[in-house]
């Protein structure tokens, strides 16, 4: 028998290893994955290890109702959780809330007729689905929907599906609540049976919460009739068990003190960085842009070198905020937890479908400071649920009235922008609500959400540095001792103050845990990730562009102009670059004034900046007025040179006025009717020749 040479041995060993790997699935050497390693909120296990078959999941967990949510800021998720909880407590449904991206939907044609599915869907941007709803949306928007049992729309493949829908939108956008409307139309076309009306909440009108409350009552009655449900007295049934861990101290290595996942807890992080996993980025530079006391506008540059965190000009950067110490202190005091703030707790879902919104074990302080939106708007429905835990009869009477009387609630809470702790303080006269379960607060208060900012730098000019331009919010509220303060912008201001030598930054009376959990943000760091946007320059730099961006709406246009200046310096032909910018006074808030001059030198005659200083003259002048003054050139660029037209800033007023002004310019310059001009602008939008990056 011939001897085996070295190559034979190597081949045999490789074959053996491959065979072992196949039959053992890597059992002997696989590294067990931590449930928090890749997800911010997947506190009950690893998503990839769970079924993506919702029918199978409902059968396994004994559910007959699922409430899916497509959420960008957390509001749709909150509404879905509230609907699932209310369906269980009032009508005896076995309900679960579900992130819409966690499941597949090609088997909805086999959805059992004795179950019901809710779809709570926000519309984001210009009629787009939220990030977590893209796959679901694209499936049902396709011309030929492919479902598990085959068959086309004529065969009504969803005839067994009973569903409920509520949409979250903003009427200042052209495609108001487009996602829920389109999904409803698609479902009806496929034969699904809707229960109740399509609900629509309007954030633009400030009526989202009341729209939701007004919609859900008749919806519940229609659902009860359709499914033979009987209403019962709602009794609080906790979704989570909160257990104080006497065996652990806050300095125990397994205790989360604000870290978003296991990698961060263990002192290291790796990409990909996204909405579940932030990059702890150093702030390379920060400066004040305004020259007037009492108002702040920040320029912040974040160093992302070595992180593989890439962005493109026009994208958004998300900043993960922390709550201010002042608000954390009041929240804990109103629950009687001030002395126990560093007590380690464990939070566990009492149902297999309940997702704990943050990793545990943690502490009361860390949960409140890093994970709960304690400064957000207060829900009247949530206030109603607090009455049974009031510290005394007077407090119970007051909180009940707040929950029952819409006008009284708006007068006392909404119009004064009170947060939940301030509402409790007002209702009880300052007395603590010691009987209020912490589990109820976790259920009723949204997860704190990253805040998104238009990136104000060019990835071509500075690929390893992301710039943010943000006005710091601190506004007095008429009739209230409180000021409305931006959670994230004041956090950024505190970071800027510390970077400039202030050892105890206190922006607008707020303090922040700037060094982060276990001092991991020391050295002026901030957690961030990048969200890609469709707000983009034309691929051909020779194509003309017109930009309209007053105030910090100029942020992405700083990136656009910076990019074109870099292209011109590199010898490329750059098209006409026209910027309309507005602010109050040239001497106070004309941001980046020196930089515009530098860009102008690089671009030469290709760059033209038109300014509108609203308070420098006898009459207020805004960007839309300047646009009208340059009507001939604007129309020529748009009509004859196919210029891209961009708008960034306030959606409710400015963006609408600019749209109307462009319509009027086209009508006047081309001698067309206003209706015809409107059609032209709509076509510009549909072809991406007209783009918006706006907010309300």
């Amino acid at each position: 028998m011939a001897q085996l040479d070295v190559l034979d041995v190597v081949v045999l060993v490789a074959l053996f290893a491959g065979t072992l790997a196949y039959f053992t699935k890597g059992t002997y050497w696989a590294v067990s994955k931590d449930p928090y390693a890749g997800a911010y909120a997947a506190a009950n296990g690893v998503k990839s290890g769970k079924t993506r078959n919702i029918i199978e999941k409902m059968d396994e967990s004994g559910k007959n109702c699922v409430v899916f949510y497509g959420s960008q800021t957390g509001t749709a998720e909150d509404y879905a959780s509230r609907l699932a909880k209310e369906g269980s407590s009032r009508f005896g449904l076995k309900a679960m809330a579900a992130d819409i991206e966690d499941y597949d939907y090609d088997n909805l044609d086999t959805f059992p007729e004795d179950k019901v599915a809710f779809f709570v869907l926000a519309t984001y941007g210009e009629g787009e689905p939220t990030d977590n709803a893209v796959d679901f949306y694209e499936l049902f928007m396709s011309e030929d929907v492919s479902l598990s049992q085959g068959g086309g729309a004529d065969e009504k493949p969803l005839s067994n599906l009973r569903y409920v829908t509520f949409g979250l939108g903003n009427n200042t956008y052209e495609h108001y609540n487009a996602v829920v409307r389109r999904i409803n139309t698609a479902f009806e076309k496929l034969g699904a049976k809707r229960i109740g009306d399509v609900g629509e909440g309007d954030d633009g009108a400030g009526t989202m919460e009341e729209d939701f409350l007004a919609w859900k009552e008749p919806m519940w009655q229609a659902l009860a009739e359709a499914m033979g449900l009987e209403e019962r007295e709602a009794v609080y049934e906790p979704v989570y068990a909160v257990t104080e861990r006497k065996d652990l101290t806050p300095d125990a290595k397994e205790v989360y003190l604000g870290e978003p996942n296991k990698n961060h807890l263990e002192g290291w992080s790796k990409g990909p960085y996204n909405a579940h996993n932030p990059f702890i980025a150093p702030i390379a530079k920060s400066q004040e842009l305004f020259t007037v006391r009492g108002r702040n506008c920040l320029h912040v540059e974040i160093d992302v070198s070595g992180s593989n965190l890439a962005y493109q000009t026009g994208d958004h950067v998300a900043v993960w905020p922390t709550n201010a110490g002042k608000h954390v202190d009041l929240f804990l005091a109103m629950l009687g937890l001030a002395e126990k703030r560093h007590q380690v707790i464990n939070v566990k879902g009492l149902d297999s479908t309940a997702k704990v919104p943050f990793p545990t074990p943690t502490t009361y302080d860390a949960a409140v400071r890093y994970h709960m939106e304690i400064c957000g708007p207060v829900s009247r429905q949530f206030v109603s649920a607090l009455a049974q835990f009031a510290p005394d009869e007077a407090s119970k009477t007051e909180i009940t009235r707040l929950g029952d009387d819409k006008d009284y609630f708006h007068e006392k809470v909404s119009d004064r922008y009170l947060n939940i702790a301030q509402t409790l303080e007002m209702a009880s006269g300052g007395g603590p609500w010691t009987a209020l379960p912490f589990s109820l607060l976790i259920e009723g208060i949204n997860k704190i959400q990253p805040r998104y900012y238009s990136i104000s730098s060019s990835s071509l000019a500075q690929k390893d540095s992301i710039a943010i331009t943000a006005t710091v919010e601190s506004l007095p509220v008429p009739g209230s001792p409180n000021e409305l303060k931006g959670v994230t912008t004041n956090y950024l201001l505190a970071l800027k103050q510390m970077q400039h030598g202030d050892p105890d930054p206190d922006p607008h009376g707020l303090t922040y845990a700037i060094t982060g959990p276990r001092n991991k943000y020391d050295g002026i760091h901030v957690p961030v990730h990048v969200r890609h946007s469709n707000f983009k320059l034309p691929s051909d730099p020779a194509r003309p562009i017109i930009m309209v961006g007053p105030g910090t709406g100029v942020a992405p246009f700083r990136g656009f102009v910076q990019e074109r200046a870099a292209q011109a310096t590199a010898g490329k032909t750059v098209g006409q670059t026209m910027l309309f910018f507005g602010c109050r006074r040239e001497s106070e808030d004309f941001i980046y004034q020196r930089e515009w001059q530098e860009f102008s030198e690089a671009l030469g005659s290709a760059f033209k900046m038109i300014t509108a200083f609203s308070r420098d003259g006898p009459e207020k002048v805004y960007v839309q007025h300047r646009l009208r003054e340059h009507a001939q050139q604007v129309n020529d660029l748009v009509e004859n040179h196919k210029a891209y037209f961009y708008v960034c800033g306030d959606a409710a007023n400015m963006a609408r006025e600019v749209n109307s002004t462009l319509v009027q310019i086209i009508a006047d310059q081309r001698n067309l009717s206003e209706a015809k001009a409107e059609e032209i602008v709509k076509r510009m939008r549909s072809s991406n020749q007209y783009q918006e990056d706006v907010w309300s």
Side-chain angles (χ1 to χ4, degrees):
M1 178 176 165
Q3 281 188 316
L4 294 172
D5 62 20
V6 174
L7 181 60
D8 292 329
V9 173
V10 170
V11 171
L12 286 171
V13 169
L15 287 170
F16 174 75
T19 304
L20 184 65
Y22 178 81
F23 286 106
T24 66
K25 308 301 182 188
T27 301
Y28 296 117
W29 56 79
V31 178
S32 60
K33 186 175 180 182
D34 177 81
Y36 305 112
Y40 173 64
N44 290 303
V46 185
K47 282 186 179 181
S48 59
K50 296 181 179 181
T51 178
R52 292 189 59 80
N53 184 324
I54 185 59
I55 300 169
E56 184 178 290
K57 179 65 176 178
M58 293 176 75
D59 287 342
E60 287 175 356
S61 53
K63 305 298 183 185
N64 62 359
C65 172
V66 58
V67 187
F68 295 109
Y69 57 85
S71 187
Q72 196 73 28
T73 64
T75 306
E77 180 178 359
D78 173 51
Y79 285 2
S81 297
R82 285 159 61 179
L83 287 168
K85 187 173 178 60
E86 189 172 357
S88 298
S89 62
R90 281 181 63 186
F91 297 95
L93 285 167
K94 304 298 182 184
M96 61 178 282
D99 188 331
I100 203 162
E101 72 176 345
D102 285 352
Y103 297 94
D104 298 323
Y105 297 92
D106 56 354
N107 66 341
L108 278 188
D109 54 349
T110 63
F111 198 84
E113 200 168 9
D114 62 345
K115 302 183 190 297
V116 64
F118 286 60
F119 295 88
V120 183
L121 304 171
T123 295
Y124 163 70
E126 294 302 307
E128 301 157 18
T130 56
D131 293 344
N132 69 326
V134 170
D135 290 344
F136 164 79
Y137 179 80
E138 289 181 348
L139 172 65
F140 289 102
M141 290 302 103
S142 61
E143 291 185 10
D144 185 17
V145 180
S146 178
L147 300 175
S148 64
Q149 302 300 303
D154 292 342
E155 298 177 37
K156 307 298 181 186
L158 295 186
S159 58
N160 283 345
L161 175 65
R162 295 196 288 182
Y163 72 100
V164 174
T165 53
F166 183 82
L168 296 83
N170 186 317
N171 73 7
T172 61
Y173 291 80
E174 180 182 4
H175 303 285
Y176 172 62
N177 264 313
V179 170
V180 76
R181 292 178 181 181
R182 291 167 185 164
I183 288 296
N184 179 67
T185 299
F187 277 8
E188 288 183 332
K189 182 179 178 181
L190 295 169
K193 302 177 181 68
R194 191 184 69 246
I195 297 172
D197 294 332
V198 177
E200 294 186 352
D202 186 2
D203 190 45
T207 59
M208 180 74 76
E209 176 72 11
E210 293 302 332
D211 293 339
F212 174 70
L213 296 180
W215 162 81
K216 73 180 182 66
E217 286 309 314
M219 179 278 297
W220 283 129
Q221 299 310 314
L223 184 65
E225 183 177 340
M227 295 188 70
L229 305 175
E230 291 187 8
E231 186 172 0
R232 62 189 186 185
E233 183 178 354
V235 177
Y236 173 61
E237 298 173 354
V239 174
Y240 307 111
V242 179
T243 307
E244 294 186 352
R245 295 285 301 272
K246 304 299 183 184
D247 59 319
L248 290 175
T249 60
D251 57 358
K253 64 180 182 179
E254 65 265 43
V255 175
Y256 291 82
L257 298 182
E259 296 91 348
N261 55 48
K262 186 68 174 288
N263 289 341
H264 288 272
L265 179 67
E266 293 179 343
W268 62 282
S269 67
K270 63 178 182 178
Y273 298 108
N274 51 37
H276 304 300
N277 184 41
F279 172 60
I280 310 303
I283 293 180
K285 177 183 178 182
S286 59
Q287 68 184 79
E288 175 63 54
L289 296 177
F290 285 171
T291 59
V292 59
R293 287 182 177 274
R295 296 172 63 213
N296 299 97
C297 183
L298 303 178
H299 174 83
V300 177
E301 295 199 6
I302 297 165
D303 183 2
V304 295
S305 57
S307 68
N308 289 323
L309 192 63
Y311 78 99
Q312 294 180 333
T313 308
D315 282 345
H316 300 138
V317 62
V319 176
W320 293 46
T322 68
N323 286 309
K326 174 182 177 180
H327 296 300
V328 174
D329 293 346
L330 178 61
F331 185 92
L332 293 172
M334 292 314 303
L335 296 181
L337 294 174
E339 300 301 318
K340 298 172 69 175
R341 66 192 310 151
H342 298 304
Q343 170 64 54
V344 177
I345 58 173
N346 196 68
V347 182
K348 182 180 180 181
L350 293 174
D351 184 283
S352 62
T353 64
K355 293 170 64 175
V356 180
F358 46 80
T360 67
T362 186
T363 65
Y364 288 117
D365 184 279
V368 174
R369 188 179 301 275
Y370 292 100
H371 298 297
M372 298 171 69
E373 195 77 82
I374 61 172
C375 293
V378 179
S379 157
R380 184 161 63 88
Q381 182 182 6
F382 180 55
V383 165
S384 295
L386 306 180
Q388 60 186 301
F389 304 106
D392 51 54
E393 284 302 316
S395 303
K396 184 175 183 178
T397 300
E398 179 66 10
I399 207 77
T400 299
R401 184 181 177 190
L402 287 170
D404 292 344
D405 188 331
K406 178 174 70 173
D407 294 334
Y408 188 65
F409 178 82
H410 283 290
E411 175 191 345
K412 293 293 185 179
V413 178
S414 298
D415 293 346
R416 300 170 68 191
Y417 295 95
L418 298 189
N419 59 41
I420 186 61
Q422 292 165 340
T423 301
L424 295 175
E425 182 182 38
M426 176 196 67
S428 68
W433 293 60
T434 55
L436 186 54
F438 195 68
S439 59
L440 179 56
L441 276 302
I442 298 173
E443 297 165 28
I445 296 175
N446 291 352
K447 291 184 303 186
I448 198 165
Q449 297 292 321
R451 270 53 167 187
Y452 292 94
Y453 298 91
S454 301
I455 293 176
S456 55
S457 55
S458 160
S459 56
L460 176 66
Q462 50 181 78
K463 69 181 181 65
D464 292 329
S465 181
I466 293 176
I468 297 174
T469 307
T471 301
V472 180
E473 296 173 354
S474 183
L475 305 171
V477 179
S480 172
N482 302 304
E483 287 190 340
L484 181 62
K485 301 181 191 300
V487 173
T488 309
T489 53
N490 279 281
Y491 173 46
L492 290 173
L493 179 56
L495 289 166
K496 178 258 181 186
Q497 290 174 347
M498 176 164 274
Q499 188 170 53
H500 287 258
D502 188 340
D504 299 301
D506 184 26
H508 301 114
L510 303 177
T511 57
Y512 291 86
I514 288 178
T515 59
R518 292 184 171 88
N519 295 320
K520 290 173 181 173
Y521 303 172
D522 199 13
I524 320 299
H525 288 69
V526 63
V528 300
H529 73 269
V530 169
R531 181 178 69 191
H532 295 295
S533 163
N534 294 323
F535 194 73
K536 292 287 182 283
L537 280 165
S539 56
D540 179 6
R543 177 74 70 92
I545 60 173
I546 300 168
M547 301 162 286
V548 184
T552 54
V554 82
F557 303 138
R558 177 182 180 269
F560 282 16
V561 177
Q562 184 184 43
E563 179 144 323
R564 289 211 151 183
Q567 290 169 330
T569 301
K572 290 188 176 181
T573 300
V574 173
Q576 184 68 46
T577 302
M578 194 174 192
L579 173 62
F580 291 85
F581 170 76
C583 61
R584 293 183 185 180
R585 293 185 172 90
E586 183 177 10
S587 61
E588 294 181 358
D589 49 5
F590 186 3
I591 60 178
Y592 300 119
Q593 184 173 7
R594 188 179 65 187
E595 288 192 21
W596 300 125
Q597 294 171 352
E598 294 171 355
F599 293 146
S600 180
E601 291 171 6
L603 288 164
S605 60
F607 180 63
K608 184 174 185 178
M609 185 172 190
I610 298 95
T611 55
F613 304 116
S614 62
R615 300 187 184 181
D616 271 350
E619 295 182 1
K620 290 187 176 181
V621 178
Y622 298 108
V623 286
Q624 58 266 30
H625 300 134
R626 296 300 191 213
L627 197 64
R628 192 173 292 114
E629 290 171 5
H630 292 77
Q632 185 175 352
Q633 184 178 8
V634 167
N635 178 67
D636 177 61
L637 287 173
V638 168
E639 182 179 22
N640 301 317
H641 303 279
K642 305 304 177 188
Y644 275 39
F645 192 90
Y646 300 91
V647 183
C648 183
D650 166 48
N653 299 301
M654 182 277 298
R656 282 188 168 184
E657 289 293 329
V658 169
N659 183 90
S660 298
T661 300
L662 182 61
V663 168
Q664 195 61 54
I665 287 172
I666 290 173
D668 293 345
Q669 294 293 314
R670 305 183 196 181
N671 196 26
L672 300 172
S673 68
E674 190 168 315
K676 184 65 176 177
E678 284 179 353
E679 289 179 14
I680 292 171
V681 172
K682 285 183 178 179
R683 286 201 299 271
M684 287 174 64
R685 286 178 177 273
S686 63
S687 65
N688 283 330
Q689 189 183 354
Y690 189 127
Q691 298 181 32
E692 288 183 326
D693 184 3
V694 294
W695 56 84
S696 58

